[in-house]
Structures are given as C-alpha cells and as structure tokens.
Amino acid sequence: MKVNITEAEWPVVEVLWQEAPLSAREVYDRLPADKPDYRTIRTLLTRLTEKGALERTSKHGMLVFRPAVQRKGVVRQAAASFLQRFFGGQLEAGVAHFIGEKKLSLESIARIKRMLNEKEKELKS
C-alpha cells in the first residue's frame, strides 16, 4: 500500500512503530518535548488512520492506534519519490550529490566502500 507520510506525521508514526498499540495520550506522552499540542496529535492520528497508515481499535474501552504499514516499505517509497523528484530517479546522481555536499570521515568512506563491495558480490553471484 502506498502511503505518503508528511514531515509532521512522521514522529507520530515513529512512536507507533516502536511501541503499539497506544492511545492518543500515550503517543503524545512519548513524543519529544518540542511536540505540537495534544489536539494536533489527535488530528494527525485521525489523518494517518484515514490514509491507511494506522489502524484504530478499541482496547478496554479506549481507542488505540497501531501501524498498518511497515517502516521499511514507507522509507523505500519515500526514498524512491525523493530520488525521482530531485535526481530524475538516478541513484548515482543522488549519491554523487550527497558525497559532494557532505564531509565524510575516513570511517564513513570505508563503510560505504564495504557496502558497495557487498552489493557487487551479490550481483555477481
């Protein structure tokens, strides 16, 4: 299922990917200190439920929410959309951009090389 999770909605879903089911109050309590007010969190939960990203059920007479989508799938979809929008879908162009823009440590470069070597071995076998 294709679900677009906005920047404002992301922290709410992250909480539920870590721990679910949770009530709206429990989600609110687990968000970082710079969170929006409680009514906004309830609105975000409703919006995410309407989009199909969350499921809403009742537990001991209280409404609780749980993810209806897996994090890995949502990340994959968002990454593909990002690559398409900014780099015409070309992974190489995206990687080149980030390598050129970000200062990388020697350790980071070594990790990236290992990942590329592992991918190359996987493709050759």
Side-chain angles (χ1 to χ4, degrees), residues 31-36:
L31 288 168
D34 62 341
K35 60 191 163 205

Side-chain angles (χ1 to χ4, degrees), residues 109-125:
I109 293 169
R111 281 194 299 275
I112 292 168
K113 284 180 180 180
R114 279 194 299 277
M115 286 188 277
L116 290 171
N117 287 336
E118 289 172 16
K119 189 63 170 179
E120 185 176 32
K121 286 178 189 174
E122 178 186 314
L123 292 172
K124 285 182 177 180
S125 53

Side-chain angles (χ1 to χ4, degrees), residues 31 44 52 62 69 73 82 84 87 89 119:
L31 288 168
L44 293 173
M62 183 185 310
V69 293
F82 177 85
Q84 186 60 47
F87 302 104
K119 189 63 170 179

Side-chain angles (χ1 to χ4, degrees), residues 57-72:
T57 58
S58 181
K59 181 178 179 182
H60 307 296
M62 183 185 310
L63 284 178
V64 293
F65 300 85
R66 70 171 27 99
V69 293
Q70 292 183 350
R71 187 181 195 286
K72 185 176 181 178

Side-chain angles (χ1 to χ4, degrees), residues 6-98:
T6 67
E7 187 174 341
E9 295 165 341
W10 193 263
V12 171
V13 181
E14 281 283 3
V15 165
L16 289 162
W17 277 323
Q18 293 171 15
E19 183 183 356
L22 295 173
S23 68
R25 175 58 65 185
E26 291 169 324
V27 170
Y28 177 80
D29 290 343
R30 283 162 177 79
L31 288 168
D34 62 341
K35 60 191 163 205
D37 66 40
Y38 177 69
R39 289 184 313 192
T40 301
I41 299 305
R42 288 182 54 103
T43 299
L44 293 173
L45 288 164
T46 299
R47 189 183 311 159
L48 286 160
T49 302
E50 290 169 353
K51 287 181 178 186
L54 300 180
E55 295 174 348
R56 181 176 53 204
T57 58
S58 181
K59 181 178 179 182
H60 307 296
M62 183 185 310
L63 284 178
V64 293
F65 300 85
R66 70 171 27 99
V69 293
Q70 292 183 350
R71 187 181 195 286
K72 185 176 181 178
V74 174
V75 170
R76 183 182 304 121
Q77 173 190 323
S81 174
F82 177 85
L83 276 175
Q84 186 60 47
R85 190 169 357 141
F86 293 103
F87 302 104
Q90 298 298 311
L91 178 61
E92 299 87 355
V95 170
H97 170 77
F98 287 111

